[in-house]
Amino acid sequence: MKRFSKHNLIRMALLAGGAALVAKVIGAKKEQWTGLSESEVRHKVESGLPDKVAGEKRAAVADKVVATMKTRGLLDEDADETTTEVSEDVESDIAAEADSDDEPSN
């Protein structure tokens, strides 16, 4: 049976600790991104890219990230639908108010 020296045990402990730390950081990042809506993911990706990246490439990168997150089931699909419904309701309310303001009151 092979005996391990103190140095080898310390190296193994540091390696295991480093691997645990990396796993924890990756888990925290995944948690930050999980459950975001598509528009939130796009905004987060595009704002994280350097200014040197052109707009078209920013959109392409965001599209790839969104597609990957959809495939993995990490996006909150209902958030975008709810946002769209609320936006449509607000727009229709604004249009109705504008129409009522345009009509002459007797």
Side-chain angles (χ1 to χ4, degrees):
M1 181 152 64
K2 187 175 181 181
R3 289 189 56 182
F4 293 103
S5 68
K6 279 186 183 180
H7 294 303
N8 284 341
L9 290 176
I10 291 172
R11 286 181 188 157
M12 288 174 54
L14 289 174
L15 181 64
L21 180 63
V22 168
K24 196 177 226 183
V25 168
I26 289 174
K29 284 289 184 185
K30 184 177 179 182
E31 193 173 306
Q32 285 178 346
W33 287 78
T34 301
L36 295 177
S37 68
E38 185 175 330
S39 59
E40 290 171 325
V41 170
R42 287 181 187 283
H43 176 50
K44 200 168 185 174
V45 168
E46 289 178 4
S47 65
L49 293 173
D51 293 335
K52 296 177 189 176
V53 179
E56 296 166 359
K57 291 196 180 206
R58 285 175 180 267
V61 170
D63 289 343
K64 287 181 183 181
V65 171
V66 167
T68 301
M69 289 183 72
K70 277 184 182 177
T71 302
R72 294 182 183 175
L74 300 174
L75 283 182
D76 184 6
E77 299 289 335
D78 296 333
D80 280 336
E81 292 173 12
T82 304
T83 304
T84 303
E85 290 171 6
V86 169
S87 297
E88 289 172 356
D89 289 344
V90 169
E91 288 174 8
S92 63
D93 289 346
I94 291 171
E97 279 185 30
D99 289 341
S100 67
D101 289 344
D102 291 342
E103 293 176 6
S105 51
N106 293 351

